[in-house]
Amino acid sequence: MTIWVSDDVVQKWRSPRRKTRGGQSRYSDLAIEICLTLRVVFRLPLRQTQGFVRSLAKLMGMALVVPDFSTLSRRGKGLKLHQNRRAASKPTTLIVDSAGLKVHGGNDWHEEKHGTKKARKTWRKLHIAFDPETGEIAAIELTTKHVGDETALPALLTDMDADVSRFLADGAYDGQGVADCLIEKFGHEVEIIIPPPKNAVHGKNAQRNHHIDVIAQNGRMSWQTKTGYNQRSRVEAQIGRWKQAIGDRLQARDFDNQIAEVKMASKALNSMTGLGRAVYERVV
């Protein structure tokens, strides 16, 4: 394993001295982010993360005081991350989908030791907005399993400042609320490509009405090819990449820590993408 650390990490490891009242933090947000990112990528418990970072600092001869596991847990809540996403060179396509992530429950030892009932299995819902031009995750949102895709969309797009010309999503996003949200965010020119259900009827949305007519005339498969809807498989591949590289479950127990965990995972995956993307050429 090769670890590279930039020269300014040691200078920025300690928190800058505050000029207002209150206690002085020992570690900067950068130090907490580095430790928790390593935890997410290598799927480590907090105690193992503490020991792992200490070992790295020792091997590299760096005089760093590593945060303990309780500090990492406490500081992880509400940690602000700067994503450093690459800007698209032109109006881009946005592909949106969601997937479930499992949540760690209690183990058998805890049940036997304290006489507690085994926790029910639960999961969170991860909403992903993918930019096919840059290959990066443009936005993420973590919700409970009771929040629907249409309901989570406004919060997912809150921090997006890119110029989006096309929006692709599956039938779960079919609804006037989604169309209104997209038009308000990206303008009336945005092309919305969402497959209407088989029993769909005409409504107020002109684009949706056109999709219904084209499907009725030429068939659903022809509509998918003509509109480019098949590109939606790229966000499914991104979800598969997430579960392969990061895992299909969340390590944190607290919901605020889980939100920070998925944000760090997204930033880590985008950093991996930035190291180099495979370029495919079509051979005619």
Side-chain angles (χ1 to χ4, degrees):
M1 181 174 60
T2 301
I3 299 291
W4 176 83
V5 180
S6 62
D7 296 333
D8 60 344
V9 166
V10 177
Q11 286 75 23
K12 296 181 179 179
W13 189 264
R14 289 186 175 274
S15 177
R17 186 165 297 279
R18 62 183 301 170
K19 300 179 181 179
T20 58
R21 283 183 157 183
Q24 172 66 37
S25 297
R26 191 173 187 182
Y27 309 100
S28 65
D29 288 345
L30 175 64
I32 302 298
E33 180 182 342
I34 290 174
C35 294
L36 292 179
T37 299
L38 290 172
R39 180 204 184 198
V40 168
V41 172
F42 292 102
R43 309 181 194 180
L44 300 173
L46 286 173
R47 289 179 184 269
Q48 290 185 15
T49 302
Q50 176 185 345
F52 181 56
V53 179
R54 282 180 176 175
S55 299
L56 290 177
K58 183 178 180 180
L59 288 172
M60 291 185 290
M62 302 173 68
L64 297 179
V65 180
V66 178
D68 59 76
F69 64 92
S70 61
T71 300
L72 292 175
S73 177
R74 174 173 50 84
R75 292 281 302 276
K77 294 182 181 180
L79 186 66
K80 295 182 180 180
L81 302 177
H82 184 63
Q83 291 292 337
N84 292 326
R85 297 188 181 100
R86 289 180 292 175
S89 59
K90 58 183 179 180
T92 186
T93 297
L94 194 67
I95 313 175
V96 173
D97 203 355
S98 63
L101 296 177
K102 301 175 186 177
V103 177
H104 274 295
N107 52 35
D108 295 335
W109 178 88
H110 192 274
E111 180 182 1
E112 181 179 351
K113 177 73 174 179
H114 300 283
T116 58
K117 293 183 180 180
K118 194 170 184 179
R120 289 186 177 183
K121 292 182 179 180
T122 185
W123 51 279
R124 305 296 186 203
K125 205 168 185 180
L126 178 67
H127 306 265
I128 290 182
F130 177 69
D131 182 351
E133 181 183 348
T134 62
E136 294 183 347
I137 298 173
I140 59 166
E141 184 72 15
L142 188 71
T143 65
T144 62
K145 61 183 179 181
H146 304 292
V147 178
D149 294 338
E150 181 176 349
T151 305
L153 184 62
L156 177 66
L157 303 179
T158 298
D159 297 331
M160 285 205 59
D161 55 0
D163 187 8
V164 175
S165 59
R166 300 173 75 234
F167 177 89
L168 276 71
D170 61 20
Y173 293 86
D174 179 61
Q176 188 60 40
V178 170
D180 293 340
C181 173
L182 294 173
I183 292 174
E184 181 181 356
K185 181 69 177 179
F186 304 118
H188 290 274
E189 295 77 15
V190 61
E191 182 182 4
I192 304 173
I193 304 175
I194 300 174
K198 293 182 180 180
N199 58 349
V201 296
H202 285 191
K204 297 180 181 180
N205 192 314
Q207 289 194 58
R208 184 174 182 271
N209 295 339
H210 177 69
H211 293 325
I212 294 174
D213 294 337
V214 172
I215 291 173
Q217 183 177 359
N218 303 321
R220 191 167 292 267
M221 297 301 293
S222 176
W223 172 84
Q224 290 184 7
T225 303
K226 183 177 180 180
T227 59
Y229 176 74
N230 294 328
Q231 288 189 36
R232 200 187 66 81
S233 61
R234 299 183 65 178
V235 73
E236 294 177 347
Q238 189 68 209
I239 292 174
R241 178 193 179 209
W242 182 298
K243 294 187 175 182
Q244 182 69 29
I246 304 300
D248 63 349
R249 64 179 61 239
L250 295 165
Q251 294 179 296
R253 305 282 181 95
D254 184 83
F255 186 62
D256 290 336
N257 284 35
Q258 291 169 355
I259 294 174
E261 182 178 337
V262 297
K263 288 182 178 179
M264 291 177 193
S266 172
K267 186 174 182 178
L269 288 175
N270 285 343
S271 296
M272 297 175 190
T273 302
L275 295 175
R277 295 180 62 193
V279 178
Y280 300 93
E281 296 183 358
R282 178 179 295 181
V283 179
V284 180

